[in-house]
Amino acid sequence: IIEAGHPVPDQAGMDGASEILALANTLNAGDVMIALISGGGSSLLTLPVEGISIDDMRKTTEALLRSGAPIEEMNVVRKHLSLIQGGRLAAACRAPILALIISDVTGDDPTHIASGPCSPDPSTYADALAILNRYAITAPTSVLRRLEAGAAGAIHETPKPGDAVFARCENRVIATPQR
């Protein structure tokens, strides 16, 4: 058990996310990964890409929270700054995956719950930049550089719907606010 920060990420969450990613990388086709995913995971499972510090993730999250952006838009930004969210946990794992998901978002779409670590991500770096602009968010320089480089095609996108990695991944929403 690792206690971590919510709604603003912290070092403990980053350390835990790093351990989870390392464990997922050790699994092979003969194994099965069962991922238990719930709301709050966007903060609790924060693992920034190289060049973005946990402090920059905190500042970005705090600005998004103050902006009034809906969680779905906040998560578009966070997915594009993460090594584990936006389908990247699924992409890192060679084993079949069963993701059991507890929803906290309207519509119960797995891509929005905990920023979709095992779900295809239909959003883009350009979408993330547009969200920062729409809410007049002044993000740290490292965040802006990452999103701009991605929008320019210099950085690979998050795994998208139809990506082969999701052929071995089942996302099952097991509980919602309505049930």
Side-chain angles (χ1 to χ4, degrees), residues 125-159:
Y125 283 102
D127 294 333
L129 278 172
I131 290 163
L132 294 181
N133 289 330
R134 182 169 31 261
Y135 294 97
I137 293 171
T138 304
T141 302
S142 65
V143 168
L144 291 175
R145 283 187 185 147
R146 171 75 183 191
L147 297 178
E148 289 167 351
I155 299 172
H156 289 289
E157 265 291 352
T158 52

Side-chain angles (χ1 to χ4, degrees), residues 30-118:
D31 298 315
V32 174
M33 181 172 82
I34 299 174
L36 306 174
I37 299 169
S38 68
S42 296
S43 174
L44 300 169
L45 193 67
T46 294
L47 186 57
V49 295
E50 186 176 334
I52 297 180
S53 67
I54 189 66
D55 189 49
D56 287 348
M57 288 297 291
R58 289 178 58 81
K59 289 175 184 173
T60 302
T61 299
E62 288 168 344
L64 286 163
L65 287 166
R66 283 191 309 270
S67 76
I71 191 66
E72 295 84 357
E73 290 185 330
M74 291 179 60
N75 289 351
V76 166
V77 174
R78 295 192 278 199
K79 289 179 204 186
H80 288 88
L81 304 174
S82 174
L83 288 171
I84 200 166
Q85 297 166 338
R88 289 186 170 130
L89 178 59
C93 183
R94 293 177 299 278
I97 300 166
L98 173 59
L100 302 174
I101 303 169
I102 299 172
S103 175
D104 67 336
V105 299
T106 303
D108 306 322
D109 186 340
T111 194
H112 298 305
I113 304 163
S115 294
C118 296

